[in-house]
Amino acid sequence: MQYDMNDILARYAFRAIGEANPKIRQVRAVASNTKPNPHRLFPAEGIWMLSLCEKFRTPLDCLILCPEHIRTQEALALCEALAARCEERYTVSAKTFEKISERGQPDGLFALAQLPKHDISAFRPAKDAVILILDGVEIPGNVGTMMRMADGAGVDAVFLCNRKARLTHPKLIKGSQGAVLSVPFFEFETVAACREWLHKNGVTVYLADTRAKLYYYDEPFGKKTALVMGSERYGISREWYDGEYEMIAIPMRGSCDSLNVGVAATVLAYEAVKKNKFLPQGLNPGGGER
């Protein structure tokens, strides 16, 4: 099917706006992370990111097109799909678009999208589930990177406790590479509430702690698993040590005493997912009985 830009603009009643329009000011405020953002909107730009928004049916606050930058049938097909489910539709000049774009060679598609909402009451972890818990992680880019890793590793969900980073922060969205749309994530107001949920659902809690006597590769896992990663500055909250838990460590062979939290989470998550989901039940990596 061939798509025509003028036909799309006419059928969906796109409205031309300029740099001074309140919608453009809203876009710039969201992108700069400088204003309250109660609807949890984030900038979604380009064919790749907006294709993910379409794939996961991410709600859109508005769609902004720059016809001068839209050159392919792929882009036009995406414009058609997005316009059909977005109520606020605008066009802007190349000059205005370049003021909201963060790309050197923009392809003319931009939206304010809304982070998905997940209901914890509907989440039922399987017996081989691996959950990544981010406790007080402060750097938005690290949160985004770990969500991207969770998607790649096959982690079942990401839990956030003592959240310090805004989930719509541009560095978090960019670091996640779209994983904020694909990985279920849940927020808990307190560590106690998170621990209660984990206990009720039979999840074993592992604290990443350099003082642990057991290294991660010696732990067989093989059960519902939660990996708790602490903040870059303060580590894991003391409240986690008040309940039932096990500690695991990553050996440090050099002079440094720890890894970046994102790197540590990657090592632990891939190991836990491998042993929970891909090794024959009852066998450890060496082939012996657990």
Side-chain angles (χ1 to χ4, degrees):
M1 180 177 179
Q2 289 292 110
Y3 294 92
D4 179 78
M5 183 84 264
N6 291 329
D7 175 62
I8 293 172
L9 298 181
R11 280 191 295 111
Y12 292 102
F14 277 79
R15 183 160 66 92
I17 60 174
E19 185 179 347
N21 187 277
K23 181 56 66 174
I24 299 300
R25 291 202 295 270
Q26 180 190 14
V27 166
R28 298 181 78 171
V30 169
S32 63
N33 198 43
T34 57
K35 298 281 181 69
N37 190 355
H39 300 296
R40 305 207 306 177
L41 302 178
F42 67 93
E45 182 183 356
I47 293 174
W48 181 81
M49 187 63 184
L50 283 168
S51 293
L52 286 179
C53 289
E54 180 60 16
K55 175 181 178 180
F56 294 107
R57 307 300 288 175
T58 306
L60 302 179
D61 172 80
C62 69
L63 176 64
I64 300 173
L65 304 181
C66 176
E68 295 172 66
H69 286 305
I70 297 175
R71 305 179 182 89
T72 67
Q73 282 293 305
E74 177 189 11
L76 288 172
L78 186 56
C79 291
E80 171 83 25
L82 296 171
R85 64 182 187 87
C86 182
E87 294 185 1
E88 292 190 44
R89 301 175 287 260
Y90 306 99
T91 61
V92 296
S93 67
K95 180 180 178 181
T96 298
F97 194 87
E98 287 157 15
K99 289 185 179 295
I100 63 172
S101 173
E102 292 190 352
R103 306 178 62 178
Q105 294 181 318
D107 49 18
L109 291 86
F110 189 102
L112 282 183
Q114 186 177 52
L115 283 181
K117 297 178 181 179
H118 303 286
D119 182 3
I120 188 65
S121 65
F123 178 56
R124 297 286 185 270
K127 63 180 181 180
D128 62 359
V130 175
I131 298 168
L132 180 66
I133 300 179
L134 308 184
D135 176 54
V137 178
E138 302 150 312
I139 301 174
N142 277 345
V143 177
T145 296
M146 284 187 279
M147 294 190 78
R148 178 183 182 182
M149 178 277 295
D151 179 271
V155 168
D156 295 84
V158 173
F159 287 4
L160 300 116
C161 290
N162 297 319
R163 182 170 60 81
K164 300 294 192 295
R166 185 182 287 190
L167 292 173
T168 55
H169 195 289
K171 290 184 178 179
L172 191 156
I173 300 296
K174 184 176 181 180
S176 81
Q177 287 290 291
V180 290
L181 307 180
S182 61
V183 177
F185 60 88
F186 305 91
E187 291 187 68
F188 290 84
E189 291 187 5
T190 64
V191 169
C194 187
R195 280 175 45 202
E196 180 182 358
W197 187 95
L198 294 167
H199 178 74
K200 186 180 298 183
N201 286 273
V203 182
T204 300
V205 174
Y206 292 90
L207 306 184
D209 192 313
T210 55
R211 298 171 298 174
K213 296 180 180 179
L214 185 68
Y215 289 140
Y216 74 96
Y217 44 70
D218 292 323
E219 170 56 47
F221 294 107
K223 51 197 171 185
K224 294 180 186 178
T225 296
L227 304 168
V228 182
M229 312 303 301
S231 77
E232 296 88 342
R233 182 177 300 181
Y234 302 110
I236 295 171
S237 303
R238 294 306 311 170
E239 300 153 277
W240 283 104
Y241 294 86
D242 295 334
E244 296 181 2
Y245 64 88
E246 298 183 31
M247 294 197 307
I248 50 175
I250 299 171
M252 301 299 296
R253 306 304 188 192
S255 58
C256 295
D257 61 2
S258 64
L259 298 174
N260 167 276
V261 64
V263 173
T266 300
V267 171
L268 298 181
Y270 270 87
E271 184 76 4
V273 169
K274 177 185 73 175
K275 289 177 177 174
N276 275 23
K277 301 177 185 290
F278 298 107
L279 289 181
Q281 289 299 307
L283 295 178
N284 66 25
E289 293 295 324
R290 282 182 182 154

